PDB file of all heavy atoms in Angstrom:
ATOM      1  N   ARG A  99      77.012  38.630  99.636  1.00  0.00           N
ATOM      2  CA  ARG A  99      76.758  40.065  99.565  1.00  0.00           C
ATOM      3  C   ARG A  99      76.235  40.463  98.180  1.00  0.00           C
ATOM      4  O   ARG A  99      75.409  41.364  98.047  1.00  0.00           O
ATOM      5  CB  ARG A  99      78.036  40.867  99.861  1.00  0.00           C
ATOM      6  CG  ARG A  99      78.633  40.690 101.254  1.00  0.00           C
ATOM      7  CD  ARG A  99      77.628  40.840 102.378  1.00  0.00           C
ATOM      8  NE  ARG A  99      76.946  42.110 102.429  1.00  0.00           N
ATOM      9  CZ  ARG A  99      77.225  43.090 103.292  1.00  0.00           C
ATOM     10  NH1 ARG A  99      78.223  42.960 104.140  1.00  0.00           N
ATOM     11  NH2 ARG A  99      76.514  44.189 103.316  1.00  0.00           N
ATOM     12  N   TYR A 100      76.714  39.783  97.167  1.00  0.00           N
ATOM     13  CA  TYR A 100      76.264  40.058  95.795  1.00  0.00           C
ATOM     14  C   TYR A 100      74.774  39.793  95.639  1.00  0.00           C
ATOM     15  O   TYR A 100      74.064  40.526  94.932  1.00  0.00           O
ATOM     16  CB  TYR A 100      77.069  39.186  94.827  1.00  0.00           C
ATOM     17  CG  TYR A 100      76.551  39.179  93.404  1.00  0.00           C
ATOM     18  CD1 TYR A 100      76.647  40.311  92.597  1.00  0.00           C
ATOM     19  CD2 TYR A 100      75.975  38.031  92.865  1.00  0.00           C
ATOM     20  CE1 TYR A 100      76.174  40.304  91.286  1.00  0.00           C
ATOM     21  CE2 TYR A 100      75.500  38.010  91.563  1.00  0.00           C
ATOM     22  CZ  TYR A 100      75.606  39.149  90.784  1.00  0.00           C
ATOM     23  OH  TYR A 100      75.129  39.133  89.491  1.00  0.00           O
ATOM     24  N   ARG A 101      74.275  38.775  96.300  1.00  0.00           N
ATOM     25  CA  ARG A 101      72.875  38.379  96.154  1.00  0.00           C
ATOM     26  C   ARG A 101      71.924  39.268  96.946  1.00  0.00           C
ATOM     27  O   ARG A 101      70.712  39.232  96.721  1.00  0.00           O
ATOM     28  CB  ARG A 101      72.701  36.923  96.594  1.00  0.00           C
ATOM     29  CG  ARG A 101      73.355  35.915  95.658  1.00  0.00           C
ATOM     30  CD  ARG A 101      73.270  34.511  96.233  1.00  0.00           C
ATOM     31  NE  ARG A 101      71.896  34.132  96.507  1.00  0.00           N
ATOM     32  CZ  ARG A 101      71.084  33.564  95.614  1.00  0.00           C
ATOM     33  NH1 ARG A 101      71.514  33.351  94.381  1.00  0.00           N
ATOM     34  NH2 ARG A 101      69.848  33.223  95.941  1.00  0.00           N
ATOM     35  N   GLU A 102      72.441  40.079  97.847  1.00  0.00           N
ATOM     36  CA  GLU A 102      71.578  40.934  98.667  1.00  0.00           C
ATOM     37  C   GLU A 102      70.964  42.064  97.835  1.00  0.00           C
ATOM     38  O   GLU A 102      71.464  42.428  96.785  1.00  0.00           O
ATOM     39  CB  GLU A 102      72.379  41.513  99.836  1.00  0.00           C
ATOM     40  CG  GLU A 102      72.822  40.456 100.844  1.00  0.00           C
ATOM     41  CD  GLU A 102      73.704  41.042 101.930  1.00  0.00           C
ATOM     42  OE1 GLU A 102      74.005  42.263 101.868  1.00  0.00           O
ATOM     43  OE2 GLU A 102      74.116  40.289 102.829  1.00  0.00           O
ATOM     44  N   LYS A 103      69.872  42.610  98.341  1.00  0.00           N
ATOM     45  CA  LYS A 103      69.157  43.688  97.644  1.00  0.00           C
ATOM     46  C   LYS A 103      69.193  45.006  98.425  1.00  0.00           C
ATOM     47  O   LYS A 103      68.503  45.952  98.063  1.00  0.00           O
ATOM     48  CB  LYS A 103      67.692  43.276  97.437  1.00  0.00           C
ATOM     49  CG  LYS A 103      67.508  41.951  96.701  1.00  0.00           C
ATOM     50  CD  LYS A 103      68.073  41.989  95.286  1.00  0.00           C
ATOM     51  CE  LYS A 103      67.818  40.663  94.571  1.00  0.00           C
ATOM     52  NZ  LYS A 103      68.424  40.642  93.221  1.00  0.00           N
ATOM     53  N   ARG A 104      70.003  45.077  99.452  1.00  0.00           N
ATOM     54  CA  ARG A 104      69.998  46.278 100.290  1.00  0.00           C
ATOM     55  C   ARG A 104      70.439  47.528  99.521  1.00  0.00           C
ATOM     56  O   ARG A 104      70.113  48.652  99.914  1.00  0.00           O
ATOM     57  CB  ARG A 104      70.880  46.069 101.519  1.00  0.00           C
ATOM     58  CG  ARG A 104      72.358  45.929 101.222  1.00  0.00           C
ATOM     59  CD  ARG A 104      73.172  45.834 102.504  1.00  0.00           C
ATOM     60  NE  ARG A 104      72.863  44.611 103.234  1.00  0.00           N
ATOM     61  CZ  ARG A 104      73.314  44.345 104.462  1.00  0.00           C
ATOM     62  NH1 ARG A 104      74.057  45.227 105.085  1.00  0.00           N
ATOM     63  NH2 ARG A 104      73.014  43.219 105.062  1.00  0.00           N
ATOM     64  N   TYR A 105      71.166  47.343  98.421  1.00  0.00           N
ATOM     65  CA  TYR A 105      71.604  48.501  97.634  1.00  0.00           C
ATOM     66  C   TYR A 105      70.422  49.325  97.125  1.00  0.00           C
ATOM     67  O   TYR A 105      70.552  50.526  96.852  1.00  0.00           O
ATOM     68  CB  TYR A 105      72.469  48.045  96.451  1.00  0.00           C
ATOM     69  CG  TYR A 105      71.704  47.417  95.314  1.00  0.00           C
ATOM     70  CD1 TYR A 105      71.298  48.174  94.218  1.00  0.00           C
ATOM     71  CD2 TYR A 105      71.358  46.067  95.338  1.00  0.00           C
ATOM     72  CE1 TYR A 105      70.590  47.598  93.167  1.00  0.00           C
ATOM     73  CE2 TYR A 105      70.659  45.489  94.299  1.00  0.00           C
ATOM     74  CZ  TYR A 105      70.276  46.254  93.215  1.00  0.00           C
ATOM     75  OH  TYR A 105      69.570  45.677  92.191  1.00  0.00           O
ATOM     76  N   ARG A 106      69.252  48.677  96.987  1.00  0.00           N
ATOM     77  CA  ARG A 106      68.080  49.377  96.462  1.00  0.00           C
ATOM     78  C   ARG A 106      67.560  50.449  97.413  1.00  0.00           C
ATOM     79  O   ARG A 106      66.810  51.331  96.995  1.00  0.00           O
ATOM     80  CB  ARG A 106      66.980  48.365  96.162  1.00  0.00           C
ATOM     81  CG  ARG A 106      67.332  47.429  95.005  1.00  0.00           C
ATOM     82  CD  ARG A 106      66.254  46.406  94.753  1.00  0.00           C
ATOM     83  NE  ARG A 106      66.576  45.566  93.595  1.00  0.00           N
ATOM     84  CZ  ARG A 106      65.886  44.503  93.231  1.00  0.00           C
ATOM     85  NH1 ARG A 106      64.807  44.149  93.936  1.00  0.00           N
ATOM     86  NH2 ARG A 106      66.244  43.798  92.175  1.00  0.00           N
ATOM     87  N   GLU A 107      67.985  50.401  98.671  1.00  0.00           N
ATOM     88  CA  GLU A 107      67.547  51.428  99.621  1.00  0.00           C
ATOM     89  C   GLU A 107      68.151  52.796  99.280  1.00  0.00           C
ATOM     90  O   GLU A 107      67.506  53.831  99.458  1.00  0.00           O
ATOM     91  CB  GLU A 107      67.957  51.019 101.040  1.00  0.00           C
ATOM     92  CG  GLU A 107      67.284  49.727 101.522  1.00  0.00           C
ATOM     93  CD  GLU A 107      67.825  49.280 102.874  1.00  0.00           C
ATOM     94  OE1 GLU A 107      68.611  50.061 103.481  1.00  0.00           O
ATOM     95  OE2 GLU A 107      67.484  48.178 103.321  1.00  0.00           O
ATOM     96  N   SER A 108      69.387  52.807  98.778  1.00  0.00           N
ATOM     97  CA  SER A 108      70.069  54.074  98.485  1.00  0.00           C
ATOM     98  C   SER A 108      70.527  54.200  97.034  1.00  0.00           C
ATOM     99  O   SER A 108      70.800  55.310  96.573  1.00  0.00           O
ATOM    100  CB  SER A 108      71.300  54.228  99.398  1.00  0.00           C
ATOM    101  OG  SER A 108      70.939  54.182 100.761  1.00  0.00           O
ATOM    102  N   PHE A 109      70.611  53.071  96.330  1.00  0.00           N
ATOM    103  CA  PHE A 109      71.144  53.099  94.970  1.00  0.00           C
ATOM    104  C   PHE A 109      70.212  52.419  93.964  1.00  0.00           C
ATOM    105  O   PHE A 109      70.675  51.844  92.978  1.00  0.00           O
ATOM    106  CB  PHE A 109      72.512  52.402  94.924  1.00  0.00           C
ATOM    107  CG  PHE A 109      73.548  52.999  95.820  1.00  0.00           C
ATOM    108  CD1 PHE A 109      73.872  52.393  97.027  1.00  0.00           C
ATOM    109  CD2 PHE A 109      74.220  54.162  95.463  1.00  0.00           C
ATOM    110  CE1 PHE A 109      74.844  52.919  97.849  1.00  0.00           C
ATOM    111  CE2 PHE A 109      75.183  54.707  96.288  1.00  0.00           C
ATOM    112  CZ  PHE A 109      75.507  54.087  97.482  1.00  0.00           C
ATOM    113  N   ALA A 110      68.910  52.499  94.184  1.00  0.00           N
ATOM    114  CA  ALA A 110      67.963  51.822  93.286  1.00  0.00           C
ATOM    115  C   ALA A 110      68.112  52.296  91.843  1.00  0.00           C
ATOM    116  O   ALA A 110      67.855  51.545  90.896  1.00  0.00           O
ATOM    117  CB  ALA A 110      66.532  52.047  93.777  1.00  0.00           C
ATOM    118  N   TRP A 111      68.570  53.530  91.645  1.00  0.00           N
ATOM    119  CA  TRP A 111      68.685  54.106  90.311  1.00  0.00           C
ATOM    120  C   TRP A 111      69.717  53.398  89.444  1.00  0.00           C
ATOM    121  O   TRP A 111      69.701  53.543  88.212  1.00  0.00           O
ATOM    122  CB  TRP A 111      69.023  55.592  90.398  1.00  0.00           C
ATOM    123  CG  TRP A 111      70.186  55.900  91.292  1.00  0.00           C
ATOM    124  CD1 TRP A 111      70.140  56.185  92.620  1.00  0.00           C
ATOM    125  CD2 TRP A 111      71.565  55.947  90.917  1.00  0.00           C
ATOM    126  NE1 TRP A 111      71.405  56.402  93.106  1.00  0.00           N
ATOM    127  CE2 TRP A 111      72.288  56.267  92.083  1.00  0.00           C
ATOM    128  CE3 TRP A 111      72.250  55.763  89.713  1.00  0.00           C
ATOM    129  CZ2 TRP A 111      73.680  56.390  92.077  1.00  0.00           C
ATOM    130  CZ3 TRP A 111      73.636  55.883  89.701  1.00  0.00           C
ATOM    131  CH2 TRP A 111      74.327  56.194  90.878  1.00  0.00           C
ATOM    132  N   VAL A 112      70.629  52.620  90.043  1.00  0.00           N
ATOM    133  CA  VAL A 112      71.641  51.951  89.215  1.00  0.00           C
ATOM    134  C   VAL A 112      71.023  50.888  88.315  1.00  0.00           C
ATOM    135  O   VAL A 112      71.637  50.464  87.327  1.00  0.00           O
ATOM    136  CB  VAL A 112      72.756  51.314  90.075  1.00  0.00           C
ATOM    137  CG1 VAL A 112      73.437  52.351  90.946  1.00  0.00           C
ATOM    138  CG2 VAL A 112      72.220  50.167  90.916  1.00  0.00           C
ATOM    139  N   ASP A 113      69.818  50.458  88.628  1.00  0.00           N
ATOM    140  CA  ASP A 113      69.150  49.444  87.802  1.00  0.00           C
ATOM    141  C   ASP A 113      68.443  50.053  86.596  1.00  0.00           C
ATOM    142  O   ASP A 113      67.938  49.314  85.741  1.00  0.00           O
ATOM    143  CB  ASP A 113      68.126  48.667  88.641  1.00  0.00           C
ATOM    144  CG  ASP A 113      68.787  47.772  89.675  1.00  0.00           C
ATOM    145  OD1 ASP A 113      69.943  47.390  89.460  1.00  0.00           O
ATOM    146  OD2 ASP A 113      68.140  47.461  90.696  1.00  0.00           O
ATOM    147  N   HIS A 114      68.404  51.394  86.501  1.00  0.00           N
ATOM    148  CA  HIS A 114      67.679  52.036  85.407  1.00  0.00           C
ATOM    149  C   HIS A 114      68.386  51.854  84.070  1.00  0.00           C
ATOM    150  O   HIS A 114      67.756  51.690  83.032  1.00  0.00           O
ATOM    151  CB  HIS A 114      67.531  53.536  85.687  1.00  0.00           C
ATOM    152  CG  HIS A 114      66.682  53.831  86.880  1.00  0.00           C
ATOM    153  ND1 HIS A 114      66.577  55.093  87.427  1.00  0.00           N
ATOM    154  CD2 HIS A 114      65.911  53.025  87.658  1.00  0.00           C
ATOM    155  CE1 HIS A 114      65.774  55.051  88.480  1.00  0.00           C
ATOM    156  NE2 HIS A 114      65.367  53.814  88.644  1.00  0.00           N
ATOM    157  N   ILE A 115      69.736  51.888  84.083  1.00  0.00           N
ATOM    158  CA  ILE A 115      70.527  51.745  82.865  1.00  0.00           C
ATOM    159  C   ILE A 115      71.600  50.692  83.112  1.00  0.00           C
ATOM    160  O   ILE A 115      72.273  50.727  84.141  1.00  0.00           O
ATOM    161  CB  ILE A 115      71.210  53.074  82.468  1.00  0.00           C
ATOM    162  CG1 ILE A 115      70.191  54.205  82.368  1.00  0.00           C
ATOM    163  CG2 ILE A 115      71.962  52.921  81.149  1.00  0.00           C
ATOM    164  CD1 ILE A 115      70.822  55.563  82.109  1.00  0.00           C
ATOM    165  N   ALA A 116      71.769  49.784  82.171  1.00  0.00           N
ATOM    166  CA  ALA A 116      72.791  48.747  82.313  1.00  0.00           C
ATOM    167  C   ALA A 116      73.536  48.591  80.998  1.00  0.00           C
ATOM    168  O   ALA A 116      72.955  48.709  79.919  1.00  0.00           O
ATOM    169  CB  ALA A 116      72.166  47.415  82.728  1.00  0.00           C
ATOM    170  N   ALA A 117      74.836  48.339  81.088  1.00  0.00           N
ATOM    171  CA  ALA A 117      75.657  48.126  79.898  1.00  0.00           C
ATOM    172  C   ALA A 117      75.639  46.649  79.526  1.00  0.00           C
ATOM    173  O   ALA A 117      75.700  45.773  80.389  1.00  0.00           O
ATOM    174  CB  ALA A 117      77.089  48.568  80.163  1.00  0.00           C
ATOM    175  N   VAL A 118      75.547  46.379  78.238  1.00  0.00           N
ATOM    176  CA  VAL A 118      75.626  45.010  77.731  1.00  0.00           C
ATOM    177  C   VAL A 118      77.053  44.779  77.257  1.00  0.00           C
ATOM    178  O   VAL A 118      77.543  45.495  76.385  1.00  0.00           O
ATOM    179  CB  VAL A 118      74.636  44.784  76.576  1.00  0.00           C
ATOM    180  CG1 VAL A 118      74.811  43.384  76.005  1.00  0.00           C
ATOM    181  CG2 VAL A 118      73.207  44.989  77.060  1.00  0.00           C
ATOM    182  N   LYS A 119      77.734  43.793  77.836  1.00  0.00           N
ATOM    183  CA  LYS A 119      79.130  43.545  77.496  1.00  0.00           C
ATOM    184  C   LYS A 119      79.368  42.153  76.928  1.00  0.00           C
ATOM    185  O   LYS A 119      80.424  41.898  76.349  1.00  0.00           O
ATOM    186  CB  LYS A 119      80.013  43.740  78.739  1.00  0.00           C
ATOM    187  CG  LYS A 119      79.945  45.149  79.317  1.00  0.00           C
ATOM    188  CD  LYS A 119      80.833  45.279  80.532  1.00  0.00           C
ATOM    189  CE  LYS A 119      80.734  46.683  81.135  1.00  0.00           C
ATOM    190  NZ  LYS A 119      81.585  46.817  82.338  1.00  0.00           N
ATOM    191  N   ASP A 120      78.424  41.253  77.104  1.00  0.00           N
ATOM    192  CA  ASP A 120      78.610  39.898  76.609  1.00  0.00           C
ATOM    193  C   ASP A 120      78.624  39.902  75.078  1.00  0.00           C
ATOM    194  O   ASP A 120      77.665  40.390  74.450  1.00  0.00           O
ATOM    195  CB  ASP A 120      77.489  38.990  77.121  1.00  0.00           C
ATOM    196  CG  ASP A 120      77.669  37.564  76.635  1.00  0.00           C
ATOM    197  OD1 ASP A 120      78.501  36.864  77.218  1.00  0.00           O
ATOM    198  OD2 ASP A 120      76.986  37.173  75.664  1.00  0.00           O
ATOM    199  N   PRO A 121      79.684  39.395  74.435  1.00  0.00           N
ATOM    200  CA  PRO A 121      79.784  39.439  72.973  1.00  0.00           C
ATOM    201  C   PRO A 121      78.605  38.789  72.252  1.00  0.00           C
ATOM    202  O   PRO A 121      78.149  39.280  71.219  1.00  0.00           O
ATOM    203  CB  PRO A 121      81.097  38.695  72.684  1.00  0.00           C
ATOM    204  CG  PRO A 121      81.893  38.827  73.935  1.00  0.00           C
ATOM    205  CD  PRO A 121      80.880  38.805  75.051  1.00  0.00           C
ATOM    206  N   ARG A 122      78.094  37.697  72.790  1.00  0.00           N
ATOM    207  CA  ARG A 122      76.975  37.011  72.128  1.00  0.00           C
ATOM    208  C   ARG A 122      75.700  37.852  72.201  1.00  0.00           C
ATOM    209  O   ARG A 122      74.940  37.932  71.229  1.00  0.00           O
ATOM    210  CB  ARG A 122      76.760  35.643  72.773  1.00  0.00           C
ATOM    211  CG  ARG A 122      77.884  34.649  72.484  1.00  0.00           C
ATOM    212  CD  ARG A 122      77.747  33.391  73.301  1.00  0.00           C
ATOM    213  NE  ARG A 122      77.889  33.669  74.733  1.00  0.00           N
ATOM    214  CZ  ARG A 122      77.878  32.737  75.679  1.00  0.00           C
ATOM    215  NH1 ARG A 122      77.691  31.469  75.354  1.00  0.00           N
ATOM    216  NH2 ARG A 122      78.024  33.058  76.940  1.00  0.00           N
ATOM    217  N   THR A 123      75.477  38.490  73.340  1.00  0.00           N
ATOM    218  CA  THR A 123      74.293  39.340  73.466  1.00  0.00           C
ATOM    219  C   THR A 123      74.417  40.567  72.572  1.00  0.00           C
ATOM    220  O   THR A 123      73.442  40.984  71.934  1.00  0.00           O
ATOM    221  CB  THR A 123      74.106  39.779  74.931  1.00  0.00           C
ATOM    222  OG1 THR A 123      74.054  38.620  75.767  1.00  0.00           O
ATOM    223  CG2 THR A 123      72.820  40.576  75.101  1.00  0.00           C
ATOM    224  N   ILE A 124      75.621  41.137  72.515  1.00  0.00           N
ATOM    225  CA  ILE A 124      75.843  42.294  71.648  1.00  0.00           C
ATOM    226  C   ILE A 124      75.578  41.927  70.189  1.00  0.00           C
ATOM    227  O   ILE A 124      74.932  42.671  69.447  1.00  0.00           O
ATOM    228  CB  ILE A 124      77.275  42.824  71.820  1.00  0.00           C
ATOM    229  CG1 ILE A 124      77.441  43.442  73.217  1.00  0.00           C
ATOM    230  CG2 ILE A 124      77.621  43.858  70.746  1.00  0.00           C
ATOM    231  CD1 ILE A 124      78.862  43.830  73.549  1.00  0.00           C
ATOM    232  N   ALA A 125      76.062  40.765  69.766  1.00  0.00           N
ATOM    233  CA  ALA A 125      75.853  40.329  68.387  1.00  0.00           C
ATOM    234  C   ALA A 125      74.365  40.163  68.084  1.00  0.00           C
ATOM    235  O   ALA A 125      73.879  40.544  67.009  1.00  0.00           O
ATOM    236  CB  ALA A 125      76.603  39.019  68.137  1.00  0.00           C
ATOM    237  N   ALA A 126      73.633  39.598  69.042  1.00  0.00           N
ATOM    238  CA  ALA A 126      72.193  39.401  68.840  1.00  0.00           C
ATOM    239  C   ALA A 126      71.467  40.737  68.748  1.00  0.00           C
ATOM    240  O   ALA A 126      70.565  40.907  67.912  1.00  0.00           O
ATOM    241  CB  ALA A 126      71.622  38.563  69.991  1.00  0.00           C
ATOM    242  N   LEU A 127      71.866  41.700  69.576  1.00  0.00           N
ATOM    243  CA  LEU A 127      71.246  43.020  69.534  1.00  0.00           C
ATOM    244  C   LEU A 127      71.591  43.748  68.232  1.00  0.00           C
ATOM    245  O   LEU A 127      70.745  44.429  67.647  1.00  0.00           O
ATOM    246  CB  LEU A 127      71.684  43.846  70.737  1.00  0.00           C
ATOM    247  CG  LEU A 127      71.162  43.370  72.099  1.00  0.00           C
ATOM    248  CD1 LEU A 127      71.836  44.143  73.222  1.00  0.00           C
ATOM    249  CD2 LEU A 127      69.658  43.523  72.184  1.00  0.00           C
ATOM    250  N   ASP A 128      72.841  43.611  67.784  1.00  0.00           N
ATOM    251  CA  ASP A 128      73.233  44.217  66.507  1.00  0.00           C
ATOM    252  C   ASP A 128      72.387  43.657  65.358  1.00  0.00           C
ATOM    253  O   ASP A 128      71.947  44.397  64.469  1.00  0.00           O
ATOM    254  CB  ASP A 128      74.711  43.966  66.231  1.00  0.00           C
ATOM    255  CG  ASP A 128      75.618  44.812  67.108  1.00  0.00           C
ATOM    256  OD1 ASP A 128      75.112  45.784  67.699  1.00  0.00           O
ATOM    257  OD2 ASP A 128      76.817  44.497  67.198  1.00  0.00           O
ATOM    258  N   GLU A 129      72.166  42.347  65.367  1.00  0.00           N
ATOM    259  CA  GLU A 129      71.349  41.725  64.328  1.00  0.00           C
ATOM    260  C   GLU A 129      69.915  42.250  64.377  1.00  0.00           C
ATOM    261  O   GLU A 129      69.287  42.475  63.343  1.00  0.00           O
ATOM    262  CB  GLU A 129      71.364  40.209  64.490  1.00  0.00           C
ATOM    263  CG  GLU A 129      72.709  39.572  64.163  1.00  0.00           C
ATOM    264  CD  GLU A 129      72.712  38.076  64.417  1.00  0.00           C
ATOM    265  OE1 GLU A 129      71.633  37.532  64.768  1.00  0.00           O
ATOM    266  OE2 GLU A 129      73.775  37.450  64.263  1.00  0.00           O
ATOM    267  N   ALA A 130      69.411  42.462  65.576  1.00  0.00           N
ATOM    268  CA  ALA A 130      68.051  42.993  65.714  1.00  0.00           C
ATOM    269  C   ALA A 130      67.958  44.412  65.162  1.00  0.00           C
ATOM    270  O   ALA A 130      66.975  44.774  64.500  1.00  0.00           O
ATOM    271  CB  ALA A 130      67.628  42.961  67.181  1.00  0.00           C
ATOM    272  N   VAL A 131      68.999  45.225  65.400  1.00  0.00           N
ATOM    273  CA  VAL A 131      69.013  46.588  64.877  1.00  0.00           C
ATOM    274  C   VAL A 131      69.049  46.572  63.351  1.00  0.00           C
ATOM    275  O   VAL A 131      68.304  47.300  62.679  1.00  0.00           O
ATOM    276  CB  VAL A 131      70.230  47.369  65.437  1.00  0.00           C
ATOM    277  CG1 VAL A 131      70.376  48.706  64.715  1.00  0.00           C
ATOM    278  CG2 VAL A 131      70.060  47.601  66.925  1.00  0.00           C
ATOM    279  N   VAL A 132      69.909  45.727  62.783  1.00  0.00           N
ATOM    280  CA  VAL A 132      70.021  45.637  61.321  1.00  0.00           C
ATOM    281  C   VAL A 132      68.692  45.201  60.707  1.00  0.00           C
ATOM    282  O   VAL A 132      68.246  45.745  59.681  1.00  0.00           O
ATOM    283  CB  VAL A 132      71.151  44.665  60.931  1.00  0.00           C
ATOM    284  CG1 VAL A 132      71.130  44.393  59.425  1.00  0.00           C
ATOM    285  CG2 VAL A 132      72.501  45.228  61.341  1.00  0.00           C
ATOM    286  N   ALA A 133      68.045  44.232  61.350  1.00  0.00           N
ATOM    287  CA  ALA A 133      66.762  43.747  60.834  1.00  0.00           C
ATOM    288  C   ALA A 133      65.719  44.861  60.821  1.00  0.00           C
ATOM    289  O   ALA A 133      64.942  44.997  59.861  1.00  0.00           O
ATOM    290  CB  ALA A 133      66.285  42.567  61.670  1.00  0.00           C
ATOM    291  N   ARG A 134      65.719  45.682  61.869  1.00  0.00           N
ATOM    292  CA  ARG A 134      64.739  46.785  61.921  1.00  0.00           C
ATOM    293  C   ARG A 134      65.067  47.872  60.901  1.00  0.00           C
ATOM    294  O   ARG A 134      64.167  48.468  60.315  1.00  0.00           O
ATOM    295  CB  ARG A 134      64.696  47.370  63.336  1.00  0.00           C
ATOM    296  CG  ARG A 134      64.070  46.427  64.346  1.00  0.00           C
ATOM    297  CD  ARG A 134      63.698  47.151  65.608  1.00  0.00           C
ATOM    298  NE  ARG A 134      62.985  46.278  66.524  1.00  0.00           N
ATOM    299  CZ  ARG A 134      62.326  46.725  67.604  1.00  0.00           C
ATOM    300  NH1 ARG A 134      62.300  48.020  67.870  1.00  0.00           N
ATOM    301  NH2 ARG A 134      61.700  45.879  68.399  1.00  0.00           N
ATOM    302  N   LEU A 135      66.354  48.136  60.701  1.00  0.00           N
ATOM    303  CA  LEU A 135      66.748  49.114  59.685  1.00  0.00           C
ATOM    304  C   LEU A 135      66.308  48.672  58.291  1.00  0.00           C
ATOM    305  O   LEU A 135      65.790  49.461  57.506  1.00  0.00           O
ATOM    306  CB  LEU A 135      68.259  49.330  59.730  1.00  0.00           C
ATOM    307  CG  LEU A 135      68.806  50.095  60.934  1.00  0.00           C
ATOM    308  CD1 LEU A 135      70.334  50.056  60.959  1.00  0.00           C
ATOM    309  CD2 LEU A 135      68.331  51.539  60.915  1.00  0.00           C
ATOM    310  N   ARG A 136      66.515  47.386  58.017  1.00  0.00           N
ATOM    311  CA  ARG A 136      66.127  46.870  56.706  1.00  0.00           C
ATOM    312  C   ARG A 136      64.609  46.911  56.513  1.00  0.00           C
ATOM    313  O   ARG A 136      64.124  47.095  55.398  1.00  0.00           O
ATOM    314  CB  ARG A 136      66.624  45.440  56.546  1.00  0.00           C
ATOM    315  CG  ARG A 136      68.145  45.354  56.346  1.00  0.00           C
ATOM    316  CD  ARG A 136      68.618  43.925  56.334  1.00  0.00           C
ATOM    317  NE  ARG A 136      70.047  43.841  56.016  1.00  0.00           N
ATOM    318  CZ  ARG A 136      70.776  42.738  56.139  1.00  0.00           C
ATOM    319  NH1 ARG A 136      70.208  41.614  56.584  1.00  0.00           N
ATOM    320  NH2 ARG A 136      72.062  42.740  55.809  1.00  0.00           N
ATOM    321  N   ALA A 137      63.885  46.722  57.617  1.00  0.00           N
ATOM    322  CA  ALA A 137      62.432  46.741  57.550  1.00  0.00           C
ATOM    323  C   ALA A 137      61.868  48.164  57.591  1.00  0.00           C
ATOM    324  O   ALA A 137      60.652  48.368  57.493  1.00  0.00           O
ATOM    325  CB  ALA A 137      61.841  45.916  58.682  1.00  0.00           C
ATOM    326  N   GLY A 138      62.754  49.144  57.763  1.00  0.00           N
ATOM    327  CA  GLY A 138      62.302  50.531  57.858  1.00  0.00           C
ATOM    328  C   GLY A 138      61.652  50.850  59.164  1.00  0.00           C
ATOM    329  O   GLY A 138      60.926  51.846  59.297  1.00  0.00           O
ATOM    330  N   ASP A 139      61.866  50.017  60.192  1.00  0.00           N
ATOM    331  CA  ASP A 139      61.264  50.211  61.515  1.00  0.00           C
ATOM    332  C   ASP A 139      62.240  50.966  62.394  1.00  0.00           C
ATOM    333  O   ASP A 139      63.007  50.356  63.124  1.00  0.00           O
ATOM    334  CB  ASP A 139      60.905  48.847  62.118  1.00  0.00           C
ATOM    335  CG  ASP A 139      60.195  48.970  63.451  1.00  0.00           C
ATOM    336  OD1 ASP A 139      59.916  50.117  63.881  1.00  0.00           O
ATOM    337  OD2 ASP A 139      59.922  47.945  64.068  1.00  0.00           O
TER     338      ASP A 139
END
């Protein structure tokens, strides 16, 4: 049931925003933000 795509018929909007919870991914994103701040971007 998890692999099915039928949810997109009525709940396609749930794919518009997603939370990142994996600690390693969060750390990588934090590093990317810091790098852009330092670069003035």
Side-chain angles (χ1 to χ4, degrees):
R99 297 311 301 257
Y100 170 69
R101 291 174 57 88
E102 293 175 358
K103 304 298 182 183
R104 67 176 66 188
Y105 75 95
R106 293 178 177 173
E107 297 174 7
S108 302
F109 301 102
W111 50 269
V112 302
D113 291 335
H114 295 170
I115 306 175
V118 176
K119 299 180 182 179
D120 181 78
R122 291 171 296 183
T123 305
I124 291 173
L127 292 171
D128 287 344
E129 290 176 4
V131 171
V132 171
R134 290 196 175 193
L135 289 171
R136 287 174 175 169
D139 184 4

